[in-house]
């Protein structure tokens, strides 16, 4: 889980894989990472492993403004790159404070015996993150659920840099879930070409209605 925030994906995925599975959740901002770790612990999820890192194409340190948590805002939109389209949803407490973000390559951080799924929501860092995960993708061939900052999913006609990278280097195809009829989705679902029909079929068989 790249860009785990407070655990919106990491927690249900950890419950899904159970105590014998593993979910590795990366969150670069200190306060958000602390909440993520607390949420995993409070829910008794021993399958949830958290990392206080950003993921990128090369190791580096970046000084970024820390998101605030004491007013209405959306800390999930906090970003490590130099510039994004809009940061209006991110709240900063007072004059704000900075923190040093440790950026690592996924290939250097984890050596896993198995990897089935990668979820990526890293606020315009997805291309660089995938560059730093090439060995991992090549070894395990996971399904990749990625929020692509270059993609307008409603009108997209041409492949983005992320789609071309996955296609050219890994022989992946990507499903535009919005154009497939799942209009509430905000991400692409990518898989090895030999599995793309299977993955598409499973997605379309799911019941996406909210239940209580």
């Amino acid at each position: 889980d790249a860009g785990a925030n407070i655990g919106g994906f990491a927690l249900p995925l950890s419950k899904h894989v159970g105590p014998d599975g593993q979910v590795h959740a990366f969150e670069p901002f200190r306060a958000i990472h602390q909440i993520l770790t607390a949420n995993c612990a409070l829910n008794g999820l021993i399958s949830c492993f958290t990392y206080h890192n950003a993921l990128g194409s090369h190791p580096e340190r970046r000084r970024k403004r820390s998101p605030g948590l004491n007013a209405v805002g959306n800390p999930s939109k906090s970003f490590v790159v130099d510039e994004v389209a809009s940061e209006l949803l991110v709240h900063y407490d007072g004059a704000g404070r900075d923190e040093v973000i440790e950026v690592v390559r996924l290939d250097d951080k984890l050596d896993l015996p198995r990897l089935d799924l990668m979820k990526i929501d890293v606020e315009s860092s997805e291309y660089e993150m995938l560059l730093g995960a090439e060995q991992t993708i090549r070894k395990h061939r996971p399904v990749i659920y990625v929020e692509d900052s270059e993609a307008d999913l409603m009108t997209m006609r041409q492949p983005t840099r992320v789609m071309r990278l996955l296609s050219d280097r890994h022989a992946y195809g990507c499903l535009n879930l919005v154009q497939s009829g799942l209009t509430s989705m905000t991400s692409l679902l990518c898989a090895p070409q030999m599995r793309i029909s299977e993955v598409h079929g499973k997605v379309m068989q799911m019941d996406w209605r909210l239940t209580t």
Side-chain angles (χ1 to χ4, degrees), residues 127 148-152 156 158-166 174 188:
Y127 183 83
D148 189 343
S149 59
E150 296 181 6
D152 183 339
M156 187 172 65
Q158 299 296 324
T160 64
R161 287 192 306 156
V162 162
M163 297 171 71
R164 289 195 297 269
L165 173 69
L166 290 172
C174 292
L188 300 170

Side-chain angles (χ1 to χ4, degrees), residues 1-172:
D1 186 349
N5 195 243
I6 64 172
F9 280 82
L11 269 66
L13 288 174
S14 296
K15 290 180 181 178
H16 176 73
V17 302
D20 296 323
Q22 296 180 13
V23 173
H24 297 268
F26 290 80
E27 172 53 48
F29 290 94
R30 177 186 59 83
I32 304 174
H33 172 261
Q34 289 172 337
I35 297 172
L36 166 67
T37 304
N39 282 337
C40 290
L42 289 169
N43 283 276
L45 297 172
I46 63 171
S47 56
C48 182
F49 298 77
T50 65
Y51 303 84
H52 185 197
N53 296 110
L55 294 171
S57 60
H58 60 278
E60 62 174 323
R61 291 184 174 184
R62 300 180 68 90
R63 183 169 291 279
K64 300 298 296 184
R65 199 174 181 191
S66 301
L69 303 176
N70 291 301
V72 175
N74 188 353
S76 70
K77 293 298 181 182
S78 302
F79 57 93
V80 176
V81 293
D82 292 328
E83 186 175 318
V84 292
S86 174
E87 57 179 300
L88 294 177
L89 297 176
V90 182
H91 167 73
Y92 301 103
D93 291 332
R97 66 172 66 197
D98 292 342
E99 61 184 282
V100 175
I101 302 296
E102 290 276 356
V103 182
V104 299
R105 297 170 71 245
L106 183 64
D107 287 342
D108 298 333
K109 189 71 175 180
L110 296 180
D111 183 12
L112 300 172
R114 171 180 170 181
L115 179 63
D116 299 309
L117 173 68
M118 295 174 65
K119 168 262 178 184
I120 304 170
D121 184 357
V122 288
E123 302 305 319
S124 300
S125 299
E126 56 275 1
Y127 183 83
E128 290 74 17
M129 183 262 156
L130 288 167
L131 288 176
E134 289 201 307
Q135 295 173 21
T136 301
I137 296 170
R138 193 171 295 118
K139 177 180 179 181
H140 297 292
R141 313 293 287 163
V143 173
I144 300 175
Y145 183 70
V146 53
E147 184 176 86
D148 189 343
S149 59
E150 296 181 6
D152 183 339
L153 298 181
M154 289 295 294
T155 61
M156 187 172 65
R157 295 291 180 269
Q158 299 296 324
T160 64
R161 287 192 306 156
V162 162
M163 297 171 71
R164 289 195 297 269
L165 173 69
L166 290 172
S167 175
D168 295 347
R169 299 197 185 186
H170 302 289
Y172 268 55

